Amino acid sequence: MTSATVTGAAGTRGLLAAPPVLDRCRALVRPALADAVGRLHPWPGEMAAHALGWRDTAGTPDPAASEGKGVRQALAVLGAELCGAPGVSAVPGAVAVELVHAFSLVHDDIMDGDELRRQRPAVWKSYGTGPAVLAGDGLLAAAVQTLAQAPGALGGPAVLRLSGALTSLVRGQADDLLFADRPWTGPEAVRPDAYRSMAEHKTGALLGCAAALGALLGGAPDTTVTALDRAGRHLGVAFQAVDDLLGIWGDPARTGKPVHGDLRQRKKTYPVLAALASDGPTARELAALLDSPCPPDDATVAARAADLVEAAGGRTATLAEAHHHLDAARACLRGTPLAPRAVHQVEELLGYLAHRTV
């Protein structure tokens, strides 16, 4: 059983256990996920297994590696169960979104130059950039093939929905990359609402797609599929907000990232943008610090920046953003007739994601 550290606005901490639904859904999906990866060419398949946390670079099982939280595959299974269908009906969708997520992480690490993923060398660092691109392509191809072969006549509509999510994901990633070159202040600065839109596309689209695919494959009506997609998109914005908090204040022993890591890299994350938008003397000092020529990995500068972000309200605003979108996700569920037991498990999952560190 894994656990998450709860960090509130005042910095209080406690332990929240990961809900059992994550392990249950992983066990249901894992055989089909392994089959999909096993159909790849052995070399991209080896890299895919590394990306998924199953094997090391020697191709042997790596029990110390993390497979990630498995949120997307769980949302797909729960999407079917919310509609009264058996979770197994959603397995092709769960496999597809898990493979797409792995594909996006492999390529994200290349674009961002991140050398570590889940406290292990990233695929590109272990195998090289070209091979990692190939592995990502293989993961994406396996995702589409798995979904297209879903039983019955639902494979086509499911692939169309996944394609739409992929288009949104690319849009969000493009905005995220372009944000890096925009100034911290002035008319061209990135505002919190622009960042929110980016997060919905980059993170929310696939979470929404996961829940929607589960409902679609479970035979739910279009109104229910759409409602679960909206809920997942709101969850994605909340998920990204919590990620941004962890990128500055997360425990390195749990996140695998250095303390104040996002500030050291001068990343435009929600806490920083919200702090700058406060437009007071603290925000102006923060902007001057971020624009300074000091080395981005200077620990003293990063610590001062973190203090300024918090003093300018960035941390509080980000927590409020996360909880606002979690409430919006719940509202989407309340407006739709759903199976009570599955709703309870989704609620447990939402609570966990709001307070996670890994």
Side-chain angles (χ1 to χ4, degrees):
M1 182 73 71
T2 57
S3 61
T5 298
V6 182
T7 306
T12 58
R13 292 176 182 267
L15 289 179
L16 183 70
V21 68
L22 292 176
D23 286 338
R24 177 175 70 81
C25 293
R26 189 189 306 279
L28 179 65
V29 175
R30 177 65 178 270
L33 187 59
D35 284 346
V37 172
R39 290 194 294 269
L40 295 173
H41 181 284
W43 191 34
E46 176 187 314
M47 290 183 278
H50 180 277
L52 290 163
W54 297 348
R55 298 186 179 275
D56 59 22
T57 53
T60 56
D62 191 355
S66 169
E67 296 185 19
K69 293 171 288 294
V71 171
R72 290 154 190 82
Q73 61 186 348
L75 283 174
V77 172
L78 286 169
E81 294 176 346
L82 283 166
C83 306
V88 69
S89 63
V91 165
V95 170
V97 294
E98 196 68 11
L99 291 173
V100 166
H101 179 52
F103 140 76
S104 71
L105 296 183
V106 170
H107 283 194
D108 279 0
D109 288 341
I110 296 169
M111 287 183 276
D112 296 341
D114 289 340
E115 297 184 358
L116 293 176
R117 169 66 60 181
R118 297 171 185 157
Q119 305 188 48
R120 295 196 309 163
V123 175
W124 73 268
K125 193 66 178 176
S126 296
Y127 292 91
T129 301
V133 171
L134 182 64
D137 292 346
L139 287 161
L140 178 57
V144 175
Q145 181 181 20
T146 299
L147 201 52
Q149 293 175 339
L154 295 173
V159 170
L160 283 174
R161 184 164 287 275
L162 181 67
S163 298
L166 282 165
T167 300
S168 289
L169 191 156
V170 170
R171 175 179 173 177
Q173 180 65 27
D175 284 340
D176 196 23
L177 289 173
L178 289 169
F179 285 172
D181 294 326
R182 289 170 61 175
W184 292 105
T185 58
E188 295 301 314
V190 181
R191 304 299 176 189
D193 59 340
Y195 186 88
R196 183 181 302 116
S197 175
M198 179 279 295
E200 179 182 341
H201 288 96
K202 181 179 177 181
T203 306
L206 191 57
L207 289 170
C209 179
L213 281 176
L216 189 159
L217 294 171
D222 288 345
T223 53
T224 300
V225 174
T226 300
L228 293 188
D229 189 290
R230 285 200 306 269
R233 285 175 176 268
H234 282 297
L235 175 59
V237 179
F239 194 97
Q240 187 62 56
V242 175
D243 256 5
D244 289 349
L245 288 171
L246 298 175
I248 298 177
W249 294 287
D251 180 355
R254 294 182 177 275
T255 65
K257 299 178 181 179
V259 66
H260 305 144
D262 282 356
L263 286 172
R264 290 168 181 256
Q265 297 179 46
R266 301 289 206 270
K267 286 187 177 181
K268 291 182 173 68
T269 59
Y270 196 91
V272 176
L273 299 178
L276 292 172
S278 68
D279 199 29
T282 306
R284 290 191 287 274
E285 182 181 348
L286 174 62
L289 188 62
L290 293 169
D291 276 330
S292 72
C294 297
D297 61 349
D298 185 294
T300 303
V301 172
R304 177 58 181 159
D307 289 343
L308 291 170
V309 170
E310 183 151 19
R315 184 170 183 161
T316 300
T318 305
L319 284 166
E321 177 79 357
H323 287 290
H324 167 74
H325 285 281
L326 287 172
D327 287 342
R330 293 185 178 101
C332 292
L333 299 180
R334 284 196 298 271
T336 308
L338 299 170
R341 182 173 181 274
V343 170
H344 177 70
Q345 292 188 334
V346 171
E347 283 285 357
E348 288 183 334
L349 186 58
L350 292 180
Y352 168 69
L353 294 176
H355 302 296
R356 67 197 161 83
T357 63
V358 292

PDB file of all heavy atoms in Angstrom, residues 100-122:
ATOM      1  N   VAL A 100      -1.189   5.605 -23.945  1.00  0.00           N
ATOM      2  CA  VAL A 100      -1.041   6.989 -24.403  1.00  0.00           C
ATOM      3  C   VAL A 100      -0.349   7.828 -23.334  1.00  0.00           C
ATOM      4  O   VAL A 100       0.515   8.671 -23.644  1.00  0.00           O
ATOM      5  CB  VAL A 100      -2.414   7.593 -24.768  1.00  0.00           C
ATOM      6  CG1 VAL A 100      -2.319   9.111 -24.917  1.00  0.00           C
ATOM      7  CG2 VAL A 100      -2.936   6.976 -26.054  1.00  0.00           C
ATOM      8  N   HIS A 101      -0.698   7.603 -22.080  1.00  0.00           N
ATOM      9  CA  HIS A 101      -0.034   8.337 -20.999  1.00  0.00           C
ATOM     10  C   HIS A 101       1.464   8.030 -20.985  1.00  0.00           C
ATOM     11  O   HIS A 101       2.291   8.946 -20.887  1.00  0.00           O
ATOM     12  CB  HIS A 101      -0.667   7.958 -19.667  1.00  0.00           C
ATOM     13  CG  HIS A 101      -0.049   8.626 -18.485  1.00  0.00           C
ATOM     14  ND1 HIS A 101       0.126   9.988 -18.395  1.00  0.00           N
ATOM     15  CD2 HIS A 101       0.458   8.111 -17.325  1.00  0.00           C
ATOM     16  CE1 HIS A 101       0.691  10.294 -17.248  1.00  0.00           C
ATOM     17  NE2 HIS A 101       0.910   9.176 -16.586  1.00  0.00           N
ATOM     18  N   ALA A 102       1.807   6.747 -21.109  1.00  0.00           N
ATOM     19  CA  ALA A 102       3.232   6.379 -21.133  1.00  0.00           C
ATOM     20  C   ALA A 102       3.936   7.005 -22.323  1.00  0.00           C
ATOM     21  O   ALA A 102       5.065   7.508 -22.214  1.00  0.00           O
ATOM     22  CB  ALA A 102       3.366   4.851 -21.166  1.00  0.00           C
ATOM     23  N   PHE A 103       3.291   6.982 -23.486  1.00  0.00           N
ATOM     24  CA  PHE A 103       3.848   7.618 -24.691  1.00  0.00           C
ATOM     25  C   PHE A 103       4.117   9.099 -24.453  1.00  0.00           C
ATOM     26  O   PHE A 103       5.189   9.622 -24.794  1.00  0.00           O
ATOM     27  CB  PHE A 103       2.874   7.412 -25.855  1.00  0.00           C
ATOM     28  CG  PHE A 103       2.691   8.588 -26.765  1.00  0.00           C
ATOM     29  CD1 PHE A 103       3.651   8.926 -27.711  1.00  0.00           C
ATOM     30  CD2 PHE A 103       1.533   9.371 -26.695  1.00  0.00           C
ATOM     31  CE1 PHE A 103       3.472  10.023 -28.559  1.00  0.00           C
ATOM     32  CE2 PHE A 103       1.351  10.452 -27.528  1.00  0.00           C
ATOM     33  CZ  PHE A 103       2.320  10.787 -28.462  1.00  0.00           C
ATOM     34  N   SER A 104       3.153   9.794 -23.835  1.00  0.00           N
ATOM     35  CA  SER A 104       3.316  11.229 -23.619  1.00  0.00           C
ATOM     36  C   SER A 104       4.459  11.527 -22.652  1.00  0.00           C
ATOM     37  O   SER A 104       5.190  12.509 -22.830  1.00  0.00           O
ATOM     38  CB  SER A 104       2.004  11.838 -23.105  1.00  0.00           C
ATOM     39  OG  SER A 104       1.726  11.441 -21.774  1.00  0.00           O
ATOM     40  N   LEU A 105       4.637  10.681 -21.637  1.00  0.00           N
ATOM     41  CA  LEU A 105       5.725  10.901 -20.686  1.00  0.00           C
ATOM     42  C   LEU A 105       7.087  10.676 -21.326  1.00  0.00           C
ATOM     43  O   LEU A 105       8.042  11.424 -21.069  1.00  0.00           O
ATOM     44  CB  LEU A 105       5.557   9.978 -19.474  1.00  0.00           C
ATOM     45  CG  LEU A 105       4.324  10.206 -18.606  1.00  0.00           C
ATOM     46  CD1 LEU A 105       4.336   9.259 -17.414  1.00  0.00           C
ATOM     47  CD2 LEU A 105       4.233  11.653 -18.128  1.00  0.00           C
ATOM     48  N   VAL A 106       7.195   9.636 -22.157  1.00  0.00           N
ATOM     49  CA  VAL A 106       8.460   9.367 -22.850  1.00  0.00           C
ATOM     50  C   VAL A 106       8.850  10.569 -23.708  1.00  0.00           C
ATOM     51  O   VAL A 106      10.006  11.031 -23.682  1.00  0.00           O
ATOM     52  CB  VAL A 106       8.349   8.097 -23.709  1.00  0.00           C
ATOM     53  CG1 VAL A 106       9.568   7.951 -24.625  1.00  0.00           C
ATOM     54  CG2 VAL A 106       8.229   6.859 -22.818  1.00  0.00           C
ATOM     55  N   HIS A 107       7.890  11.113 -24.454  1.00  0.00           N
ATOM     56  CA  HIS A 107       8.185  12.253 -25.318  1.00  0.00           C
ATOM     57  C   HIS A 107       8.357  13.547 -24.514  1.00  0.00           C
ATOM     58  O   HIS A 107       9.192  14.385 -24.858  1.00  0.00           O
ATOM     59  CB  HIS A 107       7.089  12.402 -26.371  1.00  0.00           C
ATOM     60  CG  HIS A 107       7.205  11.409 -27.484  1.00  0.00           C
ATOM     61  ND1 HIS A 107       6.518  11.526 -28.677  1.00  0.00           N
ATOM     62  CD2 HIS A 107       7.938  10.275 -27.600  1.00  0.00           C
ATOM     63  CE1 HIS A 107       6.821  10.514 -29.470  1.00  0.00           C
ATOM     64  NE2 HIS A 107       7.676   9.736 -28.830  1.00  0.00           N
ATOM     65  N   ASP A 108       7.579  13.717 -23.447  1.00  0.00           N
ATOM     66  CA  ASP A 108       7.730  14.909 -22.598  1.00  0.00           C
ATOM     67  C   ASP A 108       9.136  14.998 -22.024  1.00  0.00           C
ATOM     68  O   ASP A 108       9.734  16.086 -21.971  1.00  0.00           O
ATOM     69  CB  ASP A 108       6.733  14.867 -21.433  1.00  0.00           C
ATOM     70  CG  ASP A 108       5.345  15.338 -21.832  1.00  0.00           C
ATOM     71  OD1 ASP A 108       5.161  15.688 -23.007  1.00  0.00           O
ATOM     72  OD2 ASP A 108       4.452  15.335 -20.964  1.00  0.00           O
ATOM     73  N   ASP A 109       9.664  13.870 -21.567  1.00  0.00           N
ATOM     74  CA  ASP A 109      11.004  13.877 -20.978  1.00  0.00           C
ATOM     75  C   ASP A 109      12.050  14.311 -21.992  1.00  0.00           C
ATOM     76  O   ASP A 109      13.025  14.992 -21.650  1.00  0.00           O
ATOM     77  CB  ASP A 109      11.343  12.497 -20.417  1.00  0.00           C
ATOM     78  CG  ASP A 109      10.570  12.167 -19.153  1.00  0.00           C
ATOM     79  OD1 ASP A 109      10.055  13.108 -18.508  1.00  0.00           O
ATOM     80  OD2 ASP A 109      10.471  10.975 -18.805  1.00  0.00           O
ATOM     81  N   ILE A 110      11.856  13.924 -23.249  1.00  0.00           N
ATOM     82  CA  ILE A 110      12.784  14.353 -24.299  1.00  0.00           C
ATOM     83  C   ILE A 110      12.667  15.854 -24.518  1.00  0.00           C
ATOM     84  O   ILE A 110      13.680  16.579 -24.551  1.00  0.00           O
ATOM     85  CB  ILE A 110      12.489  13.604 -25.610  1.00  0.00           C
ATOM     86  CG1 ILE A 110      12.749  12.108 -25.441  1.00  0.00           C
ATOM     87  CG2 ILE A 110      13.335  14.160 -26.760  1.00  0.00           C
ATOM     88  CD1 ILE A 110      12.245  11.265 -26.601  1.00  0.00           C
ATOM     89  N   MET A 111      11.443  16.345 -24.642  1.00  0.00           N
ATOM     90  CA  MET A 111      11.232  17.770 -24.916  1.00  0.00           C
ATOM     91  C   MET A 111      11.733  18.650 -23.771  1.00  0.00           C
ATOM     92  O   MET A 111      12.285  19.727 -23.994  1.00  0.00           O
ATOM     93  CB  MET A 111       9.745  18.029 -25.179  1.00  0.00           C
ATOM     94  CG  MET A 111       9.269  17.522 -26.525  1.00  0.00           C
ATOM     95  SD  MET A 111       7.529  17.919 -26.869  1.00  0.00           S
ATOM     96  CE  MET A 111       6.711  16.568 -26.018  1.00  0.00           C
ATOM     97  N   ASP A 112      11.509  18.189 -22.540  1.00  0.00           N
ATOM     98  CA  ASP A 112      11.890  18.994 -21.373  1.00  0.00           C
ATOM     99  C   ASP A 112      13.332  18.761 -20.928  1.00  0.00           C
ATOM    100  O   ASP A 112      13.837  19.474 -20.061  1.00  0.00           O
ATOM    101  CB  ASP A 112      10.957  18.682 -20.204  1.00  0.00           C
ATOM    102  CG  ASP A 112       9.513  19.065 -20.489  1.00  0.00           C
ATOM    103  OD1 ASP A 112       9.289  19.889 -21.405  1.00  0.00           O
ATOM    104  OD2 ASP A 112       8.604  18.536 -19.810  1.00  0.00           O
ATOM    105  N   GLY A 113      13.982  17.744 -21.482  1.00  0.00           N
ATOM    106  CA  GLY A 113      15.334  17.415 -21.054  1.00  0.00           C
ATOM    107  C   GLY A 113      15.392  16.819 -19.659  1.00  0.00           C
ATOM    108  O   GLY A 113      16.443  16.846 -19.008  1.00  0.00           O
ATOM    109  N   ASP A 114      14.282  16.266 -19.185  1.00  0.00           N
ATOM    110  CA  ASP A 114      14.257  15.660 -17.849  1.00  0.00           C
ATOM    111  C   ASP A 114      14.962  14.307 -17.876  1.00  0.00           C
ATOM    112  O   ASP A 114      14.590  13.420 -18.656  1.00  0.00           O
ATOM    113  CB  ASP A 114      12.815  15.477 -17.364  1.00  0.00           C
ATOM    114  CG  ASP A 114      12.151  16.800 -17.020  1.00  0.00           C
ATOM    115  OD1 ASP A 114      12.887  17.782 -16.783  1.00  0.00           O
ATOM    116  OD2 ASP A 114      10.908  16.852 -16.995  1.00  0.00           O
ATOM    117  N   GLU A 115      15.950  14.162 -17.026  1.00  0.00           N
ATOM    118  CA  GLU A 115      16.757  12.940 -17.041  1.00  0.00           C
ATOM    119  C   GLU A 115      16.179  11.830 -16.168  1.00  0.00           C
ATOM    120  O   GLU A 115      16.562  10.669 -16.311  1.00  0.00           O
ATOM    121  CB  GLU A 115      18.185  13.258 -16.594  1.00  0.00           C
ATOM    122  CG  GLU A 115      18.888  14.228 -17.532  1.00  0.00           C
ATOM    123  CD  GLU A 115      20.342  14.457 -17.144  1.00  0.00           C
ATOM    124  OE1 GLU A 115      20.793  13.895 -16.117  1.00  0.00           O
ATOM    125  OE2 GLU A 115      21.025  15.201 -17.874  1.00  0.00           O
ATOM    126  N   LEU A 116      15.277  12.184 -15.250  1.00  0.00           N
ATOM    127  CA  LEU A 116      14.699  11.190 -14.348  1.00  0.00           C
ATOM    128  C   LEU A 116      13.191  11.119 -14.523  1.00  0.00           C
ATOM    129  O   LEU A 116      12.526  12.136 -14.757  1.00  0.00           O
ATOM    130  CB  LEU A 116      15.003  11.524 -12.889  1.00  0.00           C
ATOM    131  CG  LEU A 116      16.468  11.440 -12.443  1.00  0.00           C
ATOM    132  CD1 LEU A 116      16.584  11.888 -10.999  1.00  0.00           C
ATOM    133  CD2 LEU A 116      17.007  10.024 -12.615  1.00  0.00           C
ATOM    134  N   ARG A 117      12.661   9.931 -14.388  1.00  0.00           N
ATOM    135  CA  ARG A 117      11.217   9.706 -14.372  1.00  0.00           C
ATOM    136  C   ARG A 117      10.951   8.667 -13.290  1.00  0.00           C
ATOM    137  O   ARG A 117      11.444   7.559 -13.362  1.00  0.00           O
ATOM    138  CB  ARG A 117      10.740   9.213 -15.746  1.00  0.00           C
ATOM    139  CG  ARG A 117       9.318   8.686 -15.799  1.00  0.00           C
ATOM    140  CD  ARG A 117       8.297   9.767 -15.540  1.00  0.00           C
ATOM    141  NE  ARG A 117       8.344  10.869 -16.484  1.00  0.00           N
ATOM    142  CZ  ARG A 117       7.556  11.931 -16.421  1.00  0.00           C
ATOM    143  NH1 ARG A 117       6.675  12.035 -15.430  1.00  0.00           N
ATOM    144  NH2 ARG A 117       7.666  12.915 -17.303  1.00  0.00           N
ATOM    145  N   ARG A 118      10.182   9.052 -12.284  1.00  0.00           N
ATOM    146  CA  ARG A 118       9.875   8.173 -11.152  1.00  0.00           C
ATOM    147  C   ARG A 118      11.148   7.612 -10.516  1.00  0.00           C
ATOM    148  O   ARG A 118      11.267   6.424 -10.259  1.00  0.00           O
ATOM    149  CB  ARG A 118       8.933   7.043 -11.592  1.00  0.00           C
ATOM    150  CG  ARG A 118       7.578   7.539 -12.060  1.00  0.00           C
ATOM    151  CD  ARG A 118       6.748   6.437 -12.696  1.00  0.00           C
ATOM    152  NE  ARG A 118       5.506   6.977 -13.245  1.00  0.00           N
ATOM    153  CZ  ARG A 118       4.813   6.388 -14.218  1.00  0.00           C
ATOM    154  NH1 ARG A 118       5.235   5.265 -14.740  1.00  0.00           N
ATOM    155  NH2 ARG A 118       3.704   6.945 -14.659  1.00  0.00           N
ATOM    156  N   GLN A 119      12.111   8.508 -10.323  1.00  0.00           N
ATOM    157  CA  GLN A 119      13.361   8.223  -9.627  1.00  0.00           C
ATOM    158  C   GLN A 119      14.243   7.206 -10.357  1.00  0.00           C
ATOM    159  O   GLN A 119      15.118   6.587  -9.763  1.00  0.00           O
ATOM    160  CB  GLN A 119      13.076   7.762  -8.190  1.00  0.00           C
ATOM    161  CG  GLN A 119      12.227   8.767  -7.419  1.00  0.00           C
ATOM    162  CD  GLN A 119      12.099   8.444  -5.952  1.00  0.00           C
ATOM    163  OE1 GLN A 119      13.091   8.165  -5.298  1.00  0.00           O
ATOM    164  NE2 GLN A 119      10.895   8.513  -5.418  1.00  0.00           N
ATOM    165  N   ARG A 120      14.022   7.054 -11.664  1.00  0.00           N
ATOM    166  CA  ARG A 120      14.897   6.233 -12.510  1.00  0.00           C
ATOM    167  C   ARG A 120      15.278   7.043 -13.733  1.00  0.00           C
ATOM    168  O   ARG A 120      14.573   7.985 -14.102  1.00  0.00           O
ATOM    169  CB  ARG A 120      14.189   4.952 -12.981  1.00  0.00           C
ATOM    170  CG  ARG A 120      13.839   3.978 -11.877  1.00  0.00           C
ATOM    171  CD  ARG A 120      13.510   2.604 -12.482  1.00  0.00           C
ATOM    172  NE  ARG A 120      12.533   2.696 -13.552  1.00  0.00           N
ATOM    173  CZ  ARG A 120      12.322   1.733 -14.450  1.00  0.00           C
ATOM    174  NH1 ARG A 120      13.049   0.637 -14.433  1.00  0.00           N
ATOM    175  NH2 ARG A 120      11.394   1.867 -15.378  1.00  0.00           N
ATOM    176  N   PRO A 121      16.386   6.686 -14.414  1.00  0.00           N
ATOM    177  CA  PRO A 121      16.714   7.388 -15.650  1.00  0.00           C
ATOM    178  C   PRO A 121      15.563   7.300 -16.655  1.00  0.00           C
ATOM    179  O   PRO A 121      14.950   6.235 -16.823  1.00  0.00           O
ATOM    180  CB  PRO A 121      17.952   6.652 -16.166  1.00  0.00           C
ATOM    181  CG  PRO A 121      18.565   6.056 -14.943  1.00  0.00           C
ATOM    182  CD  PRO A 121      17.424   5.685 -14.052  1.00  0.00           C
ATOM    183  N   ALA A 122      15.245   8.416 -17.277  1.00  0.00           N
ATOM    184  CA  ALA A 122      14.203   8.433 -18.299  1.00  0.00           C
ATOM    185  C   ALA A 122      14.608   7.529 -19.464  1.00  0.00           C
ATOM    186  O   ALA A 122      15.784   7.198 -19.648  1.00  0.00           O
ATOM    187  CB  ALA A 122      13.987   9.862 -18.788  1.00  0.00           C
TER     188      ALA A 122
END
